[in-house]
Amino acid sequence: MENIKKKFLGFGLGLRHDHYEEILETKPAVDWFEILTENYLVPGGKPLYYLDQIRAQYPLVMHGVSLSIGSMDPLDKKYLSSVKELMQRVEPKWISDHLCWTGVHGKNTHDLLPLPYTEEAVAHIANRLMQVQEFLGQRILIENVSSYVNFKDSEMTEWEFITEIATRADCLILLDVNNVYVSSVNHEFSAEDYIDYLPIERVYQIHLAGHSDMGDYIIDTHDHAIVDSVWKLYEKTIQRMGMISTMIERDDHIPPLNELLKELNYAKKIAKNCAVLA
Amino acid sequence: MSKLSLIQNDFQQCVLDSTHEIAHVMQTKKVSVEARMGIYVNAYLSRLAEALAVNYPVLKKQMGDEQFYDLCFSYVQQFPSEFRSIRWFGHQFPDFLKKEKEDFSIVELARFEWILTEVFDAADADAMTMEDIAAMDPNVWATMKFIPHPTVRRLNLKWNVAALWRSVSEETPCPVIEKSSKPIAWIFWRKDKVNQFSSMTEDEAWAIDAMMHGDTFAEICEGLCEWFSEDEVAMRAASLLKSWIAAGLISRT
Ligand SMILES: [Fe+2]
């Protein structure tokens, strides 16, 4: 298996089609882009055309939403093959998906559904991750998702759950700082405890994003600017873990590129200040 | 059954049908189980409906949001996605509308829009050029099978949905929706990364379909005799081929 190095890629953005032309024309100072894998699992046309153009100028990482690693359905070999094929085209620095499930019995809800934090789930997922990594020929990153429910059956905390899986499967972690914050409010736990527990050497990438505050709970909509509490948590993360490849993820209400670049610069400023202190 | 299976079955049932009462989720003081599950139910419905809105933007404008989303929600219920990529979720929407709607122009508009999505990201291929034709050995002409560009799609339409589609997307005044006496043949394809569509005469549509079925050029000429006399037919076939090549409808072999 190819050993993916923990490399600081700098500060990146999620690649969105609204920005294709502008990126190619203005060549913004973004260190790398993250692409949504499924957007490019198509036969041809504009998506792949722009992908190749942008790839020629920027390093990329691939981020999937359909692996459904936690599902009790069998792994989808056809999907994995198409991911592998895209990897050969893109040559990404690394690839990631989510620590969740998306459906069972052949159905796909296209949502990142929550898991019970049980030993059974740890064993099931670690085993599948090893199969996926074996098939793809490299380690992958799994991302913590925002969740809105806790299962009665859970036997451990979310941070113990993700750490145990990563250790057993020898996989890597994509830490979504916003998702930690969202879940910490929804489930009334300490976001700091979460960050403090994670195995630093496995955290290869960070997502920053916005959310919708509903009062009693928070919905991770990825459609707003990043809020102060998430910036603070990011600061704490960098203080503890050092510089980690960081990007801003916006899925809806995509603002002009300039606005995202400003947010990204802010992240850069925070990280550099922390790194100096660290 | 394993506990994880039980939980996932229970959870998914609740997401697909919000009336299902979930057993495995913890109640908290601050937020009820119903409110918590409601977030997943809403996210599910709105994400899939939004995928349909992306694939059928003109249909949505034409129907209005309320009617469009009502239909989306019942489509989501009847045809839960079995795709890895949400991009293909809407493929049965036109057939679903056929059962739901009396108005057949709506069904045709949906078919029209779905084909456009197919053309948009169909496989790439180099198109044949006039130079390629000129370089061909004249002896192979009769047995030559031209290969349609992988983006080519065909549709016969009774309603003037192409004009409607154009006016809605260009925000010009809508034409009166009307039905023609006979279905009109349309062809769709992609050229220079841009979707194209055009209506065709009966003989051209027949010839395109014959090419798509793998008929040889000689067979196509023969078939065109239904519309043209023997001395006109070679001319007609040559001019069709020339216009197809100019449009980028034929793949370079
Ligand atoms: Fe994320």
Side-chain angles (χ1 to χ4, degrees), chain A residues 34 63 98 112 143-145 174-179 206-209 220 222 247 249 251:
Chain A
E34 180 189 79
H63 185 49
H98 300 82
L112 310 172
E143 178 183 2
N144 60 301
V145 299
L174 195 177
L175 174 61
D176 190 313
V177 173
N178 174 63
N179 291 352
I206 286 179
H207 272 174
L208 292 171
D220 160 36
H222 278 53
M247 62 152 271
E249 194 184 34
D251 296 335

Side-chain angles (χ1 to χ4, degrees), chain A residues 52-81:
Chain A
D52 290 343
Q53 297 286 308
I54 289 166
R55 174 66 188 93
Q57 303 183 35
Y58 293 92
L60 299 180
V61 304
M62 280 167 52
H63 185 49
V65 293
S66 306
L67 180 60
S68 199
I69 196 71
S71 170
M72 287 304 279
D73 272 6
L75 282 168
D76 186 335
K77 288 283 160 62
K78 221 174 105 196
Y79 168 75
L80 282 173
S81 299

Side-chain angles (χ1 to χ4, degrees), chain B residues 201-246:
Chain B
T201 57
E202 226 176 275
D203 67 303
E204 181 176 10
W206 178 87
I208 279 278
D209 291 342
M211 171 178 75
M212 291 174 81
H213 287 136
D215 284 6
T216 62
F217 194 66
E219 285 164 335
I220 293 175
C221 290
E222 211 181 297
L224 284 171
C225 289
E226 202 182 315
W227 291 274
F228 299 93
S229 68
E230 232 167 278
D231 44 326
E232 291 167 326
V233 91
M235 253 317 228
R236 176 58 176 163
S239 95
L240 282 178
L241 186 63
K242 213 168 141 186
S243 72
W244 296 347
I245 285 170

